[in-house]
Structure formats: C-alpha cells, structure tokens
C-alpha cells in the first residue's frame, strides 16, 4: 500500500474484530511513526499501550464513569467554545451520518448514550493506545504530537489495520490515569483503538465528505 492509498482508505473505524495484533507489528508501526517531524527533534509524545485483562478492566471502569455521568474537565479544549459555520454544519453532517448508520434515531438519548459508550469498549478492538504530553509543552509540541498520531494511522493501514482516534477518553482521564499509571504532569491528548475492521458493523460504512481544494487552498499567481 502506498501513502496515497493509505491516506484514501484511513477512516475512523467504530467496530473491530477481536483478532489479536502481534506485539512485533505494534512495535513496527510505532517505530515507523517515530520518524514523524517535531520541532528541534524534541519528540514530545508519550504512548501507553493496553491490551488483554488490563484493557478489559479499564473498559469496565470507563463504562461505569460514563453511565454515572462522571465527566471531569479535560486537559485541553478540543472543540471551539462557540460553534459557527461552516464548522457546525460539518460536525452535524458527520454526527447525523454516523447515528443513521448505527440506528440511533434523532432525540433517542438512551441510544446515543449507548453508542458513545462503545468508545470505552474500544469498539471491540484488541489494542488501545493512549497519548500524553508533558504539561509544560507549548502548542508547537501539540502539533508535533498530531503528526505522530497521523503517522501511526497511516502505518497501521500499511499493515492492513484500521484505527479510531478518540478524544472521548479525555472526559474520563482520571480513570485512564488511575488504571494505566499516566502521571498528573502529563496531559492526556487522546486514545486510539487499533485492530482489524469488522465490515459487518453498519457504522463502518460511514465515509465523510471532504471539501474541494478551491475551498481551502489559495495558489499564488506563479503556482
């Protein structure tokens, strides 16, 4: 798979097969992704890998916190505090498309709650990754970490695997910290499920739109 195919086929998968992923493959993916660029090569990212019984126990604790409505303040603001166009329409289109495929009717808060809860089961994936960064790092290092995340997702595609980056874990970063030993001086960036996509899961049919180049690219007069 070349990089263009990896980019074209990378999607947020919300249903995985339970097939285990060999540690050697995970190390290959993470090692390749470590070549991601970072300012002055400081490589600010940290990764915690969880599988098996540890992941199962974490899932139970996360689900309990989710059911109890026990959100904590996130380490950072992911979305804008005030939504406006065109971003609001794009967000709504993504959410409506996902919920339609997942069979969640508009206004069905119980079904929406259950769909969101699937985040905390890693959508059935055998491997969970958690990414953190030292709190004294600045915005540039967060950009670096984002490039590292994308590198993981593309390397996973090269190995025939799929991923879902999940900021939902940040609502319960206290639970994640307690189970995985992530210290308080690190901010939790997000989690990620990784495994083999289960194409029988309806939500995996979601393919989100992308804006045409003319909507976000400006070429100079000599380009």
């Amino acid at each position: 798979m070349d990089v263009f195919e990896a980019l074209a086929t990378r999607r947020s998968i919300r249903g995985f097969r339970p097939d285990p992923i060999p540690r050697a493959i995970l190390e290959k993916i993470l090692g390749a992704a470590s070549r991601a660029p970072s300012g002055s090569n400081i490589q600010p990212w940290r990764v915690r890998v969880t599988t098996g019984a540890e992941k199962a126990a974490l899932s139970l604790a996360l689900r309990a916190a989710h059911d109890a409505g026990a959100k904590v303040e996130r380490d950072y603001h992911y979305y804008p505090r005030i939504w406006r166009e065109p971003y609001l329409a794009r967000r709504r289109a993504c959410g409506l498309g996902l919920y339609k495929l997942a069979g969640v009717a508009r206004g069905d808060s119980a079904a929406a709650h259950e769909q969101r809860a699937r985040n905390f089961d890693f959508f059935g994936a055998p491997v969970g990754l958690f990414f953190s960064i030292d709190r004294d790092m600045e915005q540039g290092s967060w950009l670096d970490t984002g490039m590292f995340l994308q590198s993981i997702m593309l390397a996973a595609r090269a190995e025939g695997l799929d991923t879902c980056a999940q900021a939902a874990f940040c609502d319960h970063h206290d639970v994640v910290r307690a189970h995985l030993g992530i210290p308080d001086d690190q901010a939790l960036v997000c989690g990620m499920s990784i495994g083999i996509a289960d194409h029988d899961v309806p939500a995996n049919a979601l393919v989100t739109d992308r804006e045409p180049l003319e909507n976000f690219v400006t070429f100079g007069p000599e380009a």
Side-chain angles (χ1 to χ4, degrees):
M1 183 181 297
D2 67 24
V3 67
F4 288 98
E5 184 180 358
L7 284 163
T9 59
R10 185 221 58 80
R11 291 183 290 133
S12 294
I13 293 299
R14 296 178 175 87
F16 293 86
R17 287 161 40 184
D19 310 48
I21 308 303
R23 177 166 173 166
I25 296 298
L26 295 173
E27 290 179 347
K28 181 180 181 182
I29 290 169
L30 292 167
S34 74
R35 299 302 307 174
S38 60
S40 299
N41 196 35
I42 66 172
Q43 304 168 65
W45 45 77
R46 309 285 186 93
V47 187
R48 179 62 157 80
V49 182
T50 185
T51 60
E54 179 187 65
K55 184 175 72 68
L58 174 59
S59 287
L60 287 174
L62 287 166
R63 177 60 194 253
H66 174 66
D67 288 344
K71 287 185 180 181
V72 295
E73 184 177 358
R74 293 187 177 192
D75 287 325
Y76 67 102
H77 291 281
Y78 190 99
Y79 291 113
R81 291 176 175 85
I82 300 175
W83 284 94
R84 60 179 175 83
E85 299 299 350
Y87 312 111
L88 181 60
R90 294 174 188 168
R91 184 192 193 200
R92 283 175 171 164
C94 179
L96 289 172
L98 172 62
Y99 276 22
K100 182 178 180 180
L101 288 168
V104 179
R106 182 177 292 190
D108 189 343
S109 58
H113 178 88
E114 288 301 312
Q115 178 62 30
R116 185 169 179 78
R118 299 202 66 234
N119 278 280
F120 308 122
D121 187 38
F122 300 86
F123 298 110
V127 179
L129 308 179
F130 286 91
F131 304 91
S132 59
I133 185 171
D134 290 352
R135 290 187 185 277
D136 58 352
M137 294 292 99
E138 297 291 350
Q139 288 178 323
S141 291
W142 286 77
L143 292 173
D144 297 341
T145 302
M147 290 186 279
F148 175 63
L149 287 166
Q150 173 78 332
S151 297
I152 290 173
M153 291 187 277
L154 296 180
R157 290 300 301 127
E159 290 295 319
L161 301 176
D162 289 282
T163 56
C164 186
Q166 297 157 258
F169 290 112
C170 296
D171 287 336
H172 308 291
H173 64 80
D174 56 334
V175 177
V176 176
R177 292 177 192 284
H179 278 256
L180 303 185
I182 297 174
D184 288 337
D185 62 2
Q186 294 177 24
L188 184 66
V189 178
C190 68
M192 182 185 292
S193 298
I194 180 168
I196 300 171
D198 182 348
H199 296 293
D200 291 332
V201 174
N204 285 340
L206 179 67
V207 179
T208 52
D209 294 331
R210 290 297 185 270
E211 293 292 306
L213 291 186
E214 58 266 26
N215 285 5
F216 64 92
V217 178
T218 301
F219 287 101
E222 298 181 12

